[in-house]
Amino acid sequence: MTGTTLDDYTDRYARRVRGMTASEIRALFAVASRPEVVSLAGGAPYIAALPLDAVGEMLGKLGAEHGTTTLQYGIGQGTLELRERICEVMSLSGIDAACGASPEDVVVTVGGQQALDLVARLFLDPGDVVLAEGPTYVGALGVFQAAQAQVVHVPMDDQGLVPEALEVAIADVARSGRRAKFLYTIPTYQNPAGVTLSEERRERVLDICERAGLLVVEDDPYGQLGFEGDAPRPLRARRRDGVFYLSTFSKTFAPGLRVGWILAPHAVRDKLVIASEAQILCPSAYAQSAVATYLGTMPWREQLKVYREVYRERRDALLGALMDLMPAGTTWTRPAGGLFVWATLPEGLDAKAMMPRAIAARVAYVPGTGFFADGTGAGNMRLNFSFPSPERIREGVRRLASVMEQDIAMRRVFGAVGDPGPRRRQTGADTPGPDLA
């Protein structure tokens, strides 16, 4: 007897759709958005920190005074005005004309997510391998899965991606007869782990990729959100050949506008534009004008400082609450920027299995399984500190710690119900919790 399905179109889907599932994060949004739930799950920036009155007035003028252009079609590459502004933004991180950054090689995208998808469309054939940090950004995993590529994870520690492990991964892929097309990396304030690739390792990683003929896709949404001095220069500021630099205004201005970009090697630019036009025809002229006007008329550099202070306070609130309240055996990373902390649970706890009990206790997080292509990481969770207030963060950790203590007590009484599988932690990166034994 054959099985049944609620989807009448199952046998009509393309092969690349098979196995397509909702991400751990998207599945949480419905519950995590309830006001009674303290959400440590999503990665939403704190938009209330913006001067919303001034931004609202600016947006109104764009339609009222410039509607004939901002509400019209645009060009596939994006407006020259915005691409020039993007180059100004990148120059703050050291990606400037001296290292080959030019508005001609910038392609405006619908957020950083489309930038990822365009790179995948251009370079990935079914069966190709992508090397990526383990854990890595869940949205990237979805893009690579849709391209029918295989993700091979490379371990991290407190200094980011481990170069020796990268060399081993490249060699293992080659021995298996497969082809690794590129390294996907978030070297600065990594999502979800919060760690940053060290200065010395940046050069080593680039050298390894260059020797192996491996392209580098550098995703940098958080590089301007550092709390403890300047971040190391991006990889693209060090090498121009073979490095694709992706970023977005979602974390530094407004995610609702969905404006990101790719800085690509010149030879690839036209293909990126053609691929983008096939997808979306052109990015929103209104959204582009909004970002360009914001960068041209408002004190956005000062706004970055505001965000840094807000997020530093909230990071410290989360780290303090974890130290005070987490059960013994819990460890976590200490990010120097960005939006996330990566926690490792006490032995035997399963973050995914624990999730329904956490929601019942009105707290949400993202289980670590969502950040690995092979579904491991059940002994981990990602905690976000950018959106809730410091008081809400502490209350959320209190609720979460209570759920964990209950699970630990149940294990003592009934024994292990199941093995959560390999535990993914950054060796040396984790901050030990208090000794409560």
Side-chain angles (χ1 to χ4, degrees):
M1 182 177 177
T2 59
T4 60
T5 176
L6 296 177
D7 188 346
D8 294 334
Y9 299 91
T10 298
D11 60 348
R12 304 187 188 192
Y13 288 129
R15 282 192 294 273
R16 61 181 172 273
V17 176
R18 295 173 186 172
M20 188 179 289
T21 57
S23 75
E24 303 278 359
I25 298 175
R26 188 161 68 87
L28 284 171
F29 277 164
V31 262
S33 61
R34 296 175 184 168
E36 70 272 17
V37 175
V38 178
S39 178
L40 305 174
Y46 186 60
I47 296 300
L50 285 169
L52 292 177
D53 289 348
V55 171
E57 182 179 355
M58 177 196 79
L59 295 176
K61 287 182 178 179
L62 290 178
E65 299 178 10
H66 307 283
T68 55
T69 54
T70 60
L71 302 179
Q72 186 56 273
Y73 286 118
I75 62 172
Q77 187 176 354
T79 66
L80 176 59
E81 179 188 13
L82 179 56
R83 288 184 278 122
E84 289 174 340
R85 297 291 183 190
I86 286 171
C87 286
E88 292 177 18
V89 172
M90 291 191 296
S91 69
L92 292 183
S93 303
I95 304 174
D96 53 23
C99 62
S102 164
E104 292 302 309
D105 295 331
V106 172
V107 177
V108 178
T109 60
V110 181
Q113 193 68 19
Q114 193 210 4
L116 273 171
D117 191 70
L118 290 175
V119 172
R121 284 172 181 267
L122 258 60
F123 289 102
L124 294 180
D125 289 315
D128 282 341
V129 171
V130 174
L131 301 179
E133 294 140 345
T136 194
Y137 169 50
V138 64
L141 291 176
V143 167
F144 303 148
Q145 179 192 53
Q148 297 177 273
Q150 179 184 1
V151 175
V152 172
H153 288 295
V154 182
M156 292 185 291
D157 61 17
D158 60 323
Q159 298 183 64
L161 188 75
V162 179
E164 294 81 4
L166 175 60
E167 290 182 303
V168 170
I170 292 171
D172 287 347
V173 169
R175 274 195 299 269
S176 70
R178 295 170 295 168
R179 185 179 183 188
K181 284 290 185 69
F182 56 76
L183 168 67
Y184 170 71
T185 177
I186 311 171
T188 305
Y189 315 137
Q190 203 255 7
N191 176 8
V195 299
T196 296
L197 187 64
S198 67
E199 184 74 33
E200 181 265 342
R201 285 191 181 180
R202 291 181 182 234
E203 296 295 337
R204 289 175 63 192
V205 166
L206 286 168
D207 288 341
I208 290 168
C209 291
E210 187 173 306
R211 287 196 301 268
L214 193 67
L215 299 176
V216 176
V217 178
E218 178 181 19
D219 200 356
D220 189 25
Y222 314 104
Q224 294 180 343
L225 296 176
F227 315 142
E228 299 173 1
D230 294 334
R233 286 186 306 137
L235 304 180
R236 180 57 182 79
R238 302 158 192 268
R239 309 276 172 95
R240 69 171 71 180
D241 295 330
V243 180
F244 293 75
Y245 180 82
L246 283 54
S247 193
T248 177
F249 291 104
S250 292
K251 305 302 187 291
T252 57
F253 179 28
L257 291 174
R258 310 304 305 130
V259 177
W261 75 90
I262 307 173
L263 176 64
H266 186 74
V268 185
R269 187 231 20 225
D270 286 345
K271 290 183 174 59
L272 285 168
V273 173
I274 293 168
S276 181
E277 288 173 339
Q279 280 187 323
I280 62 167
L281 191 60
C282 61
S284 163
Y286 182 84
Q288 291 181 82
S289 184
V291 175
T293 304
Y294 173 77
L295 296 173
T297 64
M298 293 195 178
W300 60 272
R301 292 174 179 83
E302 294 303 312
Q303 184 61 42
L304 286 176
K305 294 178 183 178
V306 171
Y307 274 133
R308 290 174 191 138
E309 289 302 318
V310 168
Y311 295 155
R312 179 191 291 114
E313 179 187 24
R314 294 174 182 212
R315 177 209 59 181
D316 292 347
L318 177 57
L319 295 178
L322 292 171
M323 180 62 71
D324 292 344
L325 301 171
M326 278 288 113
T330 313
T331 58
W332 52 86
T333 56
R334 186 184 188 280
L339 309 182
F340 305 109
V341 165
W342 181 250
T344 300
L345 303 182
E347 193 68 37
L349 294 193
D350 184 326
K352 192 168 185 178
M354 194 171 66
M355 191 69 212
R357 293 185 288 281
I359 293 296
R362 296 170 299 158
V363 61
Y365 57 85
V366 184
T369 49
F371 304 99
F372 291 95
D374 58 4
T376 58
N380 305 97
M381 61 175 64
R382 190 191 75 176
L383 303 174
N384 166 258
F385 53 81
S386 62
F387 193 74
S389 67
E391 296 75 22
R392 291 279 285 173
I393 287 172
R394 188 170 185 87
E395 174 60 19
V397 173
R398 186 195 66 78
R399 296 176 187 180
L400 178 57
S402 177
V403 173
M404 292 168 62
E405 293 282 11
Q406 291 172 15
D407 270 31
I408 291 170
M410 289 177 62
R411 284 180 58 84
R412 288 175 182 153
V413 174
F414 299 107
V417 177
D419 183 359
R423 308 170 68 73
R424 303 290 191 134
R425 60 193 299 170
Q426 288 69 48
T427 305
D430 295 324
T431 301
D435 184 3
L436 303 178

